[in-house]
Amino acid sequence: MKTIEMIHPIEQCYDHEPCALAIGFFDGIHTGHQKVIEKMSHIAAEKGLKKAVMTFDPHPSVVLNPEKQRTDYLTPMYEKKRILENLGIDYLFIVPFTSSLAQMEERDFIANYFTKNKVKEVVAGFDFTYGKYGKGNMLKLEADKDGFEVTMVERHALNDEKVSTTLIRKDLKEGNIKSANKQLGRPYKITGLVVQGEKRGRTIGFPTANVEPNEIFVLPRLGVYAVTIKIEQTGKVFKGVCNVGVKPTFHDPEKQQISIEVNIFNFSDSIYGERVEVEWHDFLRPEQKFDGIDSLIAQINKDKEKAIEILNTLHID
């Protein structure tokens, strides 16, 4: 997959073959987004075009709504690229979402990013908007198209509720991992580096891998989870139980940063410095403060048993 950053002067970005284009922010690349990309891929194959995706960076809210700006993501750009490459996309166009882009008139956007950009087919969801004040929509795009065809993908729902990045973020924040995963079409994933921690877990018989995310991911609700962890270098996947939180039994929650710590089952190797992928399968309980070490150890054992029970029901590569 070739990544093309659409920087000005934009004409220098046009050195590529004619393509069919799926456009959107695509945070999460959830099942709704996948419908858009699948439709684009089908049209591209049918018409002998390259498969392309256009996304934006950062999220438009950073420019349009600073009070509610979104700076953490379900799929930060590195993860988004990885997923799209696995989907067989030929070109990824990254458009910087700046104040000048937000002020661009609809026809100028169409001309610069579609017509002159060798886009022959534009595919987007029913709610896609573009241009100054977001006045452009799919009906207007159909009316103003110039040198390309337009395909609108209808609303995608599960249990009569629209699949959306907003809903998935809400589910994660509430610990509704199964609901989030169903909408994503895969387990939610955070990637990062195993770094040195306090090593407190090993003193009570539960050594943990302290995972520092390599990008700004949406963190699930503070608490304990059944997870799997993949070591990128070896490709091996292990089951485990993960605590996301501030460890209130040992620290003042008001003064501590959130950590991601995974107790990996049947594992004793040192993996400091390794890049890992943590996949979230189920929420076990909220983070809580215990009266002492003994009650903490008893609860961790219960968490481990529950996680093993859950993970044994899953097909894990």
Side-chain angles (χ1 to χ4, degrees):
M1 182 178 74
K2 183 177 181 180
T3 298
I4 300 172
E5 295 195 23
M6 306 295 285
I7 55 176
H8 291 277
I10 201 166
E11 289 79 6
Q12 71 185 30
C13 305
Y14 296 154
D15 185 20
H16 56 81
E17 297 180 62
C19 60
L21 178 77
I23 185 169
F25 191 75
F26 296 127
D27 186 24
I29 313 186
H30 56 58
T31 52
H33 298 148
Q34 291 165 35
K35 294 289 184 185
V36 175
I37 294 169
E38 286 168 6
K39 184 64 177 178
M40 176 277 295
S41 297
H42 175 76
I43 293 172
E46 193 176 64
K47 300 194 174 183
L49 299 168
K50 293 295 186 181
K51 295 178 287 185
V53 168
M54 182 174 286
T55 189
F56 302 89
D57 184 48
H59 189 271
S61 64
V62 172
V63 173
L64 301 177
N65 192 2
E67 291 182 0
K68 296 183 179 179
Q69 61 183 311
R70 184 184 297 176
T71 55
D72 58 350
Y73 302 111
L74 302 174
T75 48
M77 191 58 71
Y78 174 85
E79 181 67 8
K80 192 181 292 187
K81 287 180 181 179
R82 187 194 65 79
I83 294 173
L84 292 172
E85 188 156 25
N86 287 341
L87 290 174
I89 301 304
D90 297 302
Y91 299 121
L92 172 62
F93 298 107
I94 301 176
V95 179
F97 200 98
T98 61
S99 297
S100 60
L101 182 78
Q103 292 298 311
M104 185 177 285
E105 297 294 339
E106 299 103 285
R107 288 184 182 275
D108 291 335
F109 184 87
I110 289 171
N112 283 288
Y113 291 99
F114 298 154
T115 307
K116 295 178 183 179
N117 198 32
K118 301 179 185 176
V119 173
K120 303 303 178 184
E121 300 280 340
V122 176
V123 183
F126 71 99
D127 54 355
F128 173 69
T129 60
Y130 61 95
K132 191 174 182 179
Y133 304 127
K135 291 187 295 185
N137 56 34
M138 292 303 286
L139 291 176
K140 197 165 193 324
L141 185 60
E142 174 66 35
D144 293 342
K145 64 186 181 184
D146 181 12
F148 56 88
E149 296 301 317
V150 176
T151 300
M152 181 179 75
V153 176
E154 296 292 347
R155 170 181 180 269
H156 176 61
L158 291 173
N159 301 322
D160 295 325
E161 189 162 18
K162 177 194 168 189
V163 173
S164 70
T165 298
T166 299
L167 183 56
I168 295 170
R169 289 172 63 93
K170 179 174 180 288
D171 279 338
L172 290 173
K173 293 295 186 182
E174 293 177 354
N176 298 326
I177 297 297
K178 287 184 176 179
S179 175
N181 289 349
K182 189 173 182 181
Q183 293 179 78
L184 287 167
R186 62 185 186 280
Y188 182 57
K189 177 191 293 184
I190 288 179
T191 62
L193 195 69
V194 178
V195 299
Q196 296 275 0
E198 296 177 337
K199 299 184 175 67
R200 197 183 297 274
R202 69 177 57 184
T203 67
I204 58 173
F206 296 96
T208 60
N210 190 348
V211 180
E212 184 175 285
N214 54 9
E215 294 195 74
I216 306 177
F217 286 86
V218 175
L219 288 182
R221 175 185 178 183
L222 301 190
V224 181
Y225 295 82
V227 302
T228 51
I229 183 167
K230 179 180 179 179
I231 301 172
E232 288 188 1
Q233 187 173 18
T234 64
K236 291 183 178 180
V237 179
F238 300 91
K239 300 173 183 178
V241 63
C242 177
N243 184 80
V244 182
V246 297
K247 296 176 287 186
T249 302
F250 301 106
H251 301 294
D252 180 352
E254 300 298 322
K255 299 179 180 179
Q256 291 297 314
Q257 290 187 331
I258 295 172
S259 64
I260 300 172
E261 298 190 15
V262 183
N263 173 237
I264 307 173
F265 304 153
N266 304 315
F267 188 82
S268 58
D269 295 352
S270 174
I271 53 172
Y272 292 126
E274 295 280 1
R275 296 195 177 277
V276 297
E277 302 173 358
V278 180
E279 291 192 343
W280 311 77
H281 297 283
D282 209 346
F283 179 73
L284 302 182
R285 63 172 175 85
E287 186 175 47
Q288 63 189 95
K289 184 174 182 177
F290 294 92
D291 295 333
I293 299 299
D294 290 342
S295 55
L296 171 63
I297 292 173
Q299 183 60 56
I300 293 175
N301 277 312
K302 290 178 183 178
D303 296 337
K304 185 173 181 178
E305 290 175 10
K306 184 63 176 177
I308 290 171
E309 180 184 330
I310 291 168
L311 295 170
N312 283 344
T313 67
L314 305 176
H315 174 71
I316 298 170
D317 296 329

mmCIF file of all heavy atoms in Angstrom, residues 26 29-39 124-128 152-168 179-186:
data_model
loop_
_atom_site.group_PDB
_atom_site.id
_atom_site.type_symbol
_atom_site.label_atom_id
_atom_site.label_comp_id
_atom_site.label_asym_id
_atom_site.label_seq_id
_atom_site.Cartn_x
_atom_site.Cartn_y
_atom_site.Cartn_z
ATOM 1 N N PHE A 26 -13.001 7.063 9.348
ATOM 2 C CA PHE A 26 -12.747 5.626 9.537
ATOM 3 C C PHE A 26 -12.025 5.284 10.837
ATOM 4 O O PHE A 26 -11.209 4.359 10.868
ATOM 5 C CB PHE A 26 -11.947 5.049 8.357
ATOM 6 C CG PHE A 26 -12.654 5.099 7.033
ATOM 7 C CD1 PHE A 26 -12.041 5.673 5.926
ATOM 8 C CD2 PHE A 26 -13.915 4.565 6.886
ATOM 9 C CE1 PHE A 26 -12.684 5.718 4.689
ATOM 10 C CE2 PHE A 26 -14.575 4.607 5.656
ATOM 11 C CZ PHE A 26 -13.953 5.192 4.558
ATOM 12 N N ILE A 29 -12.326 1.541 11.913
ATOM 13 C CA ILE A 29 -12.604 0.679 10.753
ATOM 14 C C ILE A 29 -13.565 -0.429 11.186
ATOM 15 O O ILE A 29 -13.301 -1.624 11.056
ATOM 16 C CB ILE A 29 -11.313 0.135 10.106
ATOM 17 C CG1 ILE A 29 -10.303 1.280 9.932
ATOM 18 C CG2 ILE A 29 -11.612 -0.500 8.747
ATOM 19 C CD1 ILE A 29 -9.055 0.918 9.177
ATOM 20 N N HIS A 30 -14.707 -0.001 11.758
ATOM 21 C CA HIS A 30 -15.698 -0.924 12.277
ATOM 22 C C HIS A 30 -16.525 -1.547 11.140
ATOM 23 O O HIS A 30 -16.245 -1.293 9.950
ATOM 24 C CB HIS A 30 -16.573 -0.230 13.317
ATOM 25 C CG HIS A 30 -17.261 1.019 12.845
ATOM 26 N ND1 HIS A 30 -18.114 1.046 11.759
ATOM 27 C CD2 HIS A 30 -17.237 2.300 13.323
ATOM 28 C CE1 HIS A 30 -18.594 2.263 11.581
ATOM 29 N NE2 HIS A 30 -18.075 3.051 12.507
ATOM 30 N N THR A 31 -17.530 -2.341 11.491
ATOM 31 C CA THR A 31 -18.283 -3.082 10.468
ATOM 32 C C THR A 31 -19.013 -2.147 9.498
ATOM 33 O O THR A 31 -19.196 -2.497 8.329
ATOM 34 C CB THR A 31 -19.278 -4.043 11.130
ATOM 35 O OG1 THR A 31 -20.088 -3.329 12.094
ATOM 36 C CG2 THR A 31 -18.543 -5.172 11.848
ATOM 37 N N GLY A 32 -19.413 -0.959 9.963
ATOM 38 C CA GLY A 32 -20.005 0.017 9.053
ATOM 39 C C GLY A 32 -18.992 0.539 8.055
ATOM 40 O O GLY A 32 -19.261 0.617 6.848
ATOM 41 N N HIS A 33 -17.808 0.894 8.546
ATOM 42 C CA HIS A 33 -16.727 1.325 7.651
ATOM 43 C C HIS A 33 -16.349 0.221 6.674
ATOM 44 O O HIS A 33 -16.063 0.478 5.500
ATOM 45 C CB HIS A 33 -15.482 1.700 8.469
ATOM 46 C CG HIS A 33 -15.681 2.835 9.396
ATOM 47 N ND1 HIS A 33 -15.019 2.925 10.604
ATOM 48 C CD2 HIS A 33 -16.456 3.951 9.330
ATOM 49 C CE1 HIS A 33 -15.351 4.045 11.214
ATOM 50 N NE2 HIS A 33 -16.241 4.681 10.474
ATOM 51 N N GLN A 34 -16.331 -0.998 7.168
ATOM 52 C CA GLN A 34 -15.962 -2.129 6.319
ATOM 53 C C GLN A 34 -16.926 -2.288 5.151
ATOM 54 O O GLN A 34 -16.520 -2.672 4.045
ATOM 55 C CB GLN A 34 -15.893 -3.403 7.154
ATOM 56 C CG GLN A 34 -14.729 -3.435 8.136
ATOM 57 C CD GLN A 34 -14.863 -4.508 9.189
ATOM 58 O OE1 GLN A 34 -15.377 -5.595 8.929
ATOM 59 N NE2 GLN A 34 -14.420 -4.210 10.401
ATOM 60 N N LYS A 35 -18.208 -1.978 5.359
ATOM 61 C CA LYS A 35 -19.185 -2.046 4.273
ATOM 62 C C LYS A 35 -18.831 -1.051 3.174
ATOM 63 O O LYS A 35 -18.934 -1.361 1.983
ATOM 64 C CB LYS A 35 -20.592 -1.745 4.807
ATOM 65 C CG LYS A 35 -21.145 -2.779 5.777
ATOM 66 C CD LYS A 35 -21.501 -4.070 5.071
ATOM 67 C CE LYS A 35 -22.148 -5.057 6.033
ATOM 68 N NZ LYS A 35 -22.408 -6.368 5.394
ATOM 69 N N VAL A 36 -18.412 0.142 3.572
ATOM 70 C CA VAL A 36 -18.009 1.165 2.604
ATOM 71 C C VAL A 36 -16.784 0.710 1.824
ATOM 72 O O VAL A 36 -16.727 0.800 0.590
ATOM 73 C CB VAL A 36 -17.729 2.508 3.317
ATOM 74 C CG1 VAL A 36 -17.184 3.546 2.331
ATOM 75 C CG2 VAL A 36 -18.990 3.023 3.992
ATOM 76 N N ILE A 37 -15.785 0.185 2.534
ATOM 77 C CA ILE A 37 -14.543 -0.242 1.891
ATOM 78 C C ILE A 37 -14.780 -1.458 1.002
ATOM 79 O O ILE A 37 -14.227 -1.566 -0.107
ATOM 80 C CB ILE A 37 -13.463 -0.515 2.959
ATOM 81 C CG1 ILE A 37 -13.103 0.803 3.668
ATOM 82 C CG2 ILE A 37 -12.218 -1.144 2.337
ATOM 83 C CD1 ILE A 37 -12.242 0.629 4.907
ATOM 84 N N GLU A 38 -15.627 -2.382 1.455
ATOM 85 C CA GLU A 38 -15.956 -3.554 0.639
ATOM 86 C C GLU A 38 -16.662 -3.146 -0.649
ATOM 87 O O GLU A 38 -16.380 -3.695 -1.720
ATOM 88 C CB GLU A 38 -16.848 -4.509 1.438
ATOM 89 C CG GLU A 38 -16.117 -5.284 2.522
ATOM 90 C CD GLU A 38 -17.068 -5.986 3.482
ATOM 91 O OE1 GLU A 38 -18.303 -5.965 3.226
ATOM 92 O OE2 GLU A 38 -16.589 -6.525 4.492
ATOM 93 N N LYS A 39 -17.574 -2.178 -0.555
ATOM 94 C CA LYS A 39 -18.269 -1.702 -1.753
ATOM 95 C C LYS A 39 -17.292 -1.070 -2.726
ATOM 96 O O LYS A 39 -17.344 -1.309 -3.939
ATOM 97 C CB LYS A 39 -19.350 -0.693 -1.348
ATOM 98 C CG LYS A 39 -20.214 -0.211 -2.522
ATOM 99 C CD LYS A 39 -21.014 -1.356 -3.107
ATOM 100 C CE LYS A 39 -21.940 -0.879 -4.221
ATOM 101 N NZ LYS A 39 -22.698 -2.008 -4.827
ATOM 102 N N ALA A 124 -18.983 6.418 -0.177
ATOM 103 C CA ALA A 124 -18.999 6.939 1.199
ATOM 104 C C ALA A 124 -20.299 6.554 1.876
ATOM 105 O O ALA A 124 -21.271 6.163 1.220
ATOM 106 C CB ALA A 124 -18.819 8.456 1.205
ATOM 107 N N GLY A 125 -20.301 6.681 3.201
ATOM 108 C CA GLY A 125 -21.507 6.421 3.963
ATOM 109 C C GLY A 125 -22.543 7.503 3.753
ATOM 110 O O GLY A 125 -22.229 8.621 3.315
ATOM 111 N N PHE A 126 -23.785 7.197 4.082
ATOM 112 C CA PHE A 126 -24.911 8.107 3.855
ATOM 113 C C PHE A 126 -24.751 9.443 4.572
ATOM 114 O O PHE A 126 -25.320 10.457 4.155
ATOM 115 C CB PHE A 126 -26.224 7.442 4.302
ATOM 116 C CG PHE A 126 -26.350 7.310 5.792
ATOM 117 C CD1 PHE A 126 -27.096 8.220 6.530
ATOM 118 C CD2 PHE A 126 -25.688 6.296 6.487
ATOM 119 C CE1 PHE A 126 -27.200 8.122 7.908
ATOM 120 C CE2 PHE A 126 -25.792 6.190 7.867
ATOM 121 C CZ PHE A 126 -26.543 7.099 8.582
ATOM 122 N N ASP A 127 -23.971 9.478 5.654
ATOM 123 C CA ASP A 127 -23.849 10.689 6.453
ATOM 124 C C ASP A 127 -22.544 11.447 6.213
ATOM 125 O O ASP A 127 -22.188 12.345 6.982
ATOM 126 C CB ASP A 127 -23.991 10.360 7.941
ATOM 127 C CG ASP A 127 -23.020 9.268 8.400
ATOM 128 O OD1 ASP A 127 -22.300 8.701 7.550
ATOM 129 O OD2 ASP A 127 -23.005 8.969 9.614
ATOM 130 N N PHE A 128 -21.827 11.128 5.147
ATOM 131 C CA PHE A 128 -20.573 11.822 4.852
ATOM 132 C C PHE A 128 -20.852 13.266 4.443
ATOM 133 O O PHE A 128 -21.758 13.545 3.660
ATOM 134 C CB PHE A 128 -19.815 11.110 3.727
ATOM 135 C CG PHE A 128 -18.599 11.861 3.247
ATOM 136 C CD1 PHE A 128 -17.484 11.985 4.063
ATOM 137 C CD2 PHE A 128 -18.581 12.470 1.999
ATOM 138 C CE1 PHE A 128 -16.359 12.692 3.643
ATOM 139 C CE2 PHE A 128 -17.475 13.178 1.570
ATOM 140 C CZ PHE A 128 -16.356 13.287 2.387
ATOM 141 N N MET A 152 -23.458 5.720 -2.610
ATOM 142 C CA MET A 152 -23.733 5.933 -1.196
ATOM 143 C C MET A 152 -24.046 4.598 -0.530
ATOM 144 O O MET A 152 -24.830 3.803 -1.054
ATOM 145 C CB MET A 152 -24.926 6.878 -1.018
ATOM 146 C CG MET A 152 -25.268 7.168 0.435
ATOM 147 S SD MET A 152 -26.660 8.319 0.603
ATOM 148 C CE MET A 152 -28.036 7.233 0.175
ATOM 149 N N VAL A 153 -23.418 4.344 0.620
ATOM 150 C CA VAL A 153 -23.664 3.124 1.381
ATOM 151 C C VAL A 153 -24.614 3.459 2.527
ATOM 152 O O VAL A 153 -24.380 4.396 3.288
ATOM 153 C CB VAL A 153 -22.342 2.534 1.917
ATOM 154 C CG1 VAL A 153 -22.610 1.314 2.784
ATOM 155 C CG2 VAL A 153 -21.427 2.167 0.749
ATOM 156 N N GLU A 154 -25.679 2.691 2.634
ATOM 157 C CA GLU A 154 -26.713 2.973 3.630
ATOM 158 C C GLU A 154 -26.238 2.681 5.051
ATOM 159 O O GLU A 154 -25.234 2.021 5.279
ATOM 160 C CB GLU A 154 -27.965 2.142 3.325
ATOM 161 C CG GLU A 154 -28.633 2.480 2.000
ATOM 162 C CD GLU A 154 -29.272 3.858 1.993
ATOM 163 O OE1 GLU A 154 -29.423 4.452 3.084
ATOM 164 O OE2 GLU A 154 -29.600 4.348 0.887
ATOM 165 N N ARG A 155 -27.022 3.162 5.990
ATOM 166 C CA ARG A 155 -26.774 2.980 7.417
ATOM 167 C C ARG A 155 -26.614 1.493 7.748
ATOM 168 O O ARG A 155 -27.395 0.658 7.306
ATOM 169 C CB ARG A 155 -27.963 3.559 8.191
ATOM 170 C CG ARG A 155 -28.040 3.269 9.666
ATOM 171 C CD ARG A 155 -29.326 3.924 10.183
ATOM 172 N NE ARG A 155 -29.520 3.721 11.618
ATOM 173 C CZ ARG A 155 -30.191 2.708 12.152
ATOM 174 N NH1 ARG A 155 -30.704 1.768 11.366
ATOM 175 N NH2 ARG A 155 -30.344 2.627 13.456
ATOM 176 N N HIS A 156 -25.568 1.186 8.533
ATOM 177 C CA HIS A 156 -25.324 -0.194 8.969
ATOM 178 C C HIS A 156 -25.646 -0.293 10.451
ATOM 179 O O HIS A 156 -25.131 0.487 11.259
ATOM 180 C CB HIS A 156 -23.870 -0.584 8.717
ATOM 181 C CG HIS A 156 -23.514 -1.945 9.222
ATOM 182 N ND1 HIS A 156 -24.122 -3.093 8.767
ATOM 183 C CD2 HIS A 156 -22.612 -2.348 10.159
ATOM 184 C CE1 HIS A 156 -23.623 -4.136 9.391
ATOM 185 N NE2 HIS A 156 -22.704 -3.711 10.236
ATOM 186 N N ALA A 157 -26.511 -1.236 10.801
ATOM 187 C CA ALA A 157 -26.969 -1.326 12.192
ATOM 188 C C ALA A 157 -26.828 -2.740 12.732
ATOM 189 O O ALA A 157 -26.838 -3.724 11.987
ATOM 190 C CB ALA A 157 -28.429 -0.881 12.284
ATOM 191 N N LEU A 158 -26.667 -2.827 14.039
ATOM 192 C CA LEU A 158 -26.721 -4.082 14.783
ATOM 193 C C LEU A 158 -27.761 -3.908 15.877
ATOM 194 O O LEU A 158 -27.720 -2.909 16.610
ATOM 195 C CB LEU A 158 -25.359 -4.413 15.394
ATOM 196 C CG LEU A 158 -24.229 -4.794 14.429
ATOM 197 C CD1 LEU A 158 -22.918 -4.927 15.186
ATOM 198 C CD2 LEU A 158 -24.540 -6.089 13.701
ATOM 199 N N ASN A 159 -28.694 -4.853 15.955
ATOM 200 C CA ASN A 159 -29.783 -4.751 16.946
ATOM 201 C C ASN A 159 -30.514 -3.414 16.830
ATOM 202 O O ASN A 159 -30.831 -2.764 17.827
ATOM 203 C CB ASN A 159 -29.240 -4.938 18.369
ATOM 204 C CG ASN A 159 -28.561 -6.283 18.557
ATOM 205 O OD1 ASN A 159 -29.020 -7.298 18.028
ATOM 206 N ND2 ASN A 159 -27.466 -6.297 19.296
ATOM 207 N N ASP A 160 -30.747 -3.005 15.594
ATOM 208 C CA ASP A 160 -31.493 -1.775 15.277
ATOM 209 C C ASP A 160 -30.801 -0.494 15.728
ATOM 210 O O ASP A 160 -31.417 0.572 15.772
ATOM 211 C CB ASP A 160 -32.907 -1.820 15.888
ATOM 212 C CG ASP A 160 -33.766 -2.910 15.274
ATOM 213 O OD1 ASP A 160 -33.609 -3.151 14.067
ATOM 214 O OD2 ASP A 160 -34.573 -3.503 16.000
ATOM 215 N N GLU A 161 -29.523 -0.577 16.059
ATOM 216 C CA GLU A 161 -28.782 0.627 16.436
ATOM 217 C C GLU A 161 -27.607 0.813 15.491
ATOM 218 O O GLU A 161 -26.861 -0.131 15.213
ATOM 219 C CB GLU A 161 -28.285 0.533 17.881
ATOM 220 C CG GLU A 161 -27.709 1.828 18.393
ATOM 221 C CD GLU A 161 -27.613 1.873 19.911
ATOM 222 O OE1 GLU A 161 -27.673 0.800 20.551
ATOM 223 O OE2 GLU A 161 -27.500 2.972 20.461
ATOM 224 N N LYS A 162 -27.460 2.035 14.980
ATOM 225 C CA LYS A 162 -26.398 2.330 14.026
ATOM 226 C C LYS A 162 -25.026 2.054 14.631
ATOM 227 O O LYS A 162 -24.716 2.499 15.736
ATOM 228 C CB LYS A 162 -26.477 3.795 13.591
ATOM 229 C CG LYS A 162 -25.361 4.208 12.639
ATOM 230 C CD LYS A 162 -25.282 5.714 12.512
ATOM 231 C CE LYS A 162 -23.997 6.134 11.810
ATOM 232 N NZ LYS A 162 -23.789 7.592 11.850
ATOM 233 N N VAL A 163 -24.209 1.307 13.901
ATOM 234 C CA VAL A 163 -22.825 1.097 14.312
ATOM 235 C C VAL A 163 -22.072 2.402 14.103
ATOM 236 O O VAL A 163 -22.129 3.000 13.030
ATOM 237 C CB VAL A 163 -22.178 -0.036 13.485
ATOM 238 C CG1 VAL A 163 -20.689 -0.135 13.799
ATOM 239 C CG2 VAL A 163 -22.879 -1.366 13.744
ATOM 240 N N SER A 164 -21.370 2.847 15.142
ATOM 241 C CA SER A 164 -20.660 4.120 15.030
ATOM 242 C C SER A 164 -19.443 4.138 15.941
ATOM 243 O O SER A 164 -19.401 3.447 16.963
ATOM 244 C CB SER A 164 -21.575 5.287 15.404
ATOM 245 O OG SER A 164 -21.855 5.284 16.788
ATOM 246 N N THR A 165 -18.482 4.945 15.560
ATOM 247 C CA THR A 165 -17.294 5.141 16.396
ATOM 248 C C THR A 165 -17.696 5.702 17.754
ATOM 249 O O THR A 165 -17.164 5.288 18.795
ATOM 250 C CB THR A 165 -16.314 6.104 15.698
ATOM 251 O OG1 THR A 165 -15.897 5.520 14.455
ATOM 252 C CG2 THR A 165 -15.103 6.374 16.565
ATOM 253 N N THR A 166 -18.653 6.618 17.765
ATOM 254 C CA THR A 166 -19.109 7.225 19.020
ATOM 255 C C THR A 166 -19.656 6.172 19.974
ATOM 256 O O THR A 166 -19.341 6.164 21.171
ATOM 257 C CB THR A 166 -20.184 8.289 18.737
ATOM 258 O OG1 THR A 166 -19.617 9.312 17.907
ATOM 259 C CG2 THR A 166 -20.694 8.911 20.034
ATOM 260 N N LEU A 167 -20.473 5.252 19.455
ATOM 261 C CA LEU A 167 -21.056 4.213 20.297
ATOM 262 C C LEU A 167 -19.988 3.239 20.794
ATOM 263 O O LEU A 167 -20.018 2.806 21.950
ATOM 264 C CB LEU A 167 -22.149 3.464 19.543
ATOM 265 C CG LEU A 167 -22.905 2.390 20.328
ATOM 266 C CD1 LEU A 167 -23.529 2.963 21.591
ATOM 267 C CD2 LEU A 167 -23.984 1.746 19.452
ATOM 268 N N ILE A 168 -19.036 2.902 19.944
ATOM 269 C CA ILE A 168 -17.961 2.000 20.351
ATOM 270 C C ILE A 168 -17.129 2.641 21.455
ATOM 271 O O ILE A 168 -16.783 1.997 22.454
ATOM 272 C CB ILE A 168 -17.072 1.627 19.145
ATOM 273 C CG1 ILE A 168 -17.879 0.813 18.131
ATOM 274 C CG2 ILE A 168 -15.838 0.824 19.606
ATOM 275 C CD1 ILE A 168 -17.173 0.613 16.810
ATOM 276 N N SER A 179 -19.894 -5.695 23.305
ATOM 277 C CA SER A 179 -20.644 -4.857 22.376
ATOM 278 C C SER A 179 -19.696 -4.102 21.444
ATOM 279 O O SER A 179 -19.925 -4.029 20.228
ATOM 280 C CB SER A 179 -21.515 -3.864 23.145
ATOM 281 O OG SER A 179 -22.153 -2.967 22.259
ATOM 282 N N ALA A 180 -18.618 -3.557 22.006
ATOM 283 C CA ALA A 180 -17.634 -2.837 21.184
ATOM 284 C C ALA A 180 -17.019 -3.774 20.145
ATOM 285 O O ALA A 180 -16.901 -3.422 18.965
ATOM 286 C CB ALA A 180 -16.545 -2.241 22.075
ATOM 287 N N ASN A 181 -16.656 -4.977 20.577
ATOM 288 C CA ASN A 181 -16.019 -5.934 19.671
ATOM 289 C C ASN A 181 -16.962 -6.382 18.556
ATOM 290 O O ASN A 181 -16.548 -6.599 17.410
ATOM 291 C CB ASN A 181 -15.515 -7.149 20.448
ATOM 292 C CG ASN A 181 -14.305 -6.828 21.308
ATOM 293 O OD1 ASN A 181 -13.711 -5.756 21.180
ATOM 294 N ND2 ASN A 181 -13.944 -7.738 22.193
ATOM 295 N N LYS A 182 -18.235 -6.526 18.892
ATOM 296 C CA LYS A 182 -19.216 -6.927 17.878
ATOM 297 C C LYS A 182 -19.322 -5.862 16.799
ATOM 298 O O LYS A 182 -19.398 -6.169 15.600
ATOM 299 C CB LYS A 182 -20.570 -7.167 18.535
ATOM 300 C CG LYS A 182 -21.597 -7.791 17.607
ATOM 301 C CD LYS A 182 -22.863 -8.164 18.356
ATOM 302 C CE LYS A 182 -23.860 -8.844 17.419
ATOM 303 N NZ LYS A 182 -25.115 -9.204 18.120
ATOM 304 N N GLN A 183 -19.324 -4.603 17.204
ATOM 305 C CA GLN A 183 -19.390 -3.515 16.220
ATOM 306 C C GLN A 183 -18.102 -3.409 15.406
ATOM 307 O O GLN A 183 -18.136 -3.100 14.214
ATOM 308 C CB GLN A 183 -19.659 -2.194 16.930
ATOM 309 C CG GLN A 183 -21.036 -2.110 17.573
ATOM 310 C CD GLN A 183 -21.225 -0.787 18.270
ATOM 311 O OE1 GLN A 183 -21.491 0.230 17.633
ATOM 312 N NE2 GLN A 183 -21.062 -0.785 19.586
ATOM 313 N N LEU A 184 -16.970 -3.643 16.058
ATOM 314 C CA LEU A 184 -15.686 -3.595 15.353
ATOM 315 C C LEU A 184 -15.520 -4.762 14.390
ATOM 316 O O LEU A 184 -14.797 -4.666 13.396
ATOM 317 C CB LEU A 184 -14.532 -3.598 16.357
ATOM 318 C CG LEU A 184 -14.306 -2.317 17.142
ATOM 319 C CD1 LEU A 184 -13.354 -2.567 18.302
ATOM 320 C CD2 LEU A 184 -13.775 -1.208 16.245
ATOM 321 N N GLY A 185 -16.157 -5.890 14.719
ATOM 322 C CA GLY A 185 -15.968 -7.093 13.919
ATOM 323 C C GLY A 185 -14.696 -7.834 14.266
ATOM 324 O O GLY A 185 -14.265 -8.732 13.555
ATOM 325 N N ARG A 186 -14.093 -7.471 15.409
ATOM 326 C CA ARG A 186 -12.849 -8.082 15.873
ATOM 327 C C ARG A 186 -12.613 -7.579 17.292
ATOM 328 O O ARG A 186 -13.227 -6.587 17.703
ATOM 329 C CB ARG A 186 -11.662 -7.670 14.981
ATOM 330 C CG ARG A 186 -11.409 -6.166 15.013
ATOM 331 C CD ARG A 186 -10.336 -5.694 14.065
ATOM 332 N NE ARG A 186 -10.066 -4.274 14.274
ATOM 333 C CZ ARG A 186 -10.798 -3.288 13.793
ATOM 334 N NH1 ARG A 186 -11.853 -3.541 13.046
ATOM 335 N NH2 ARG A 186 -10.482 -2.020 14.036
#
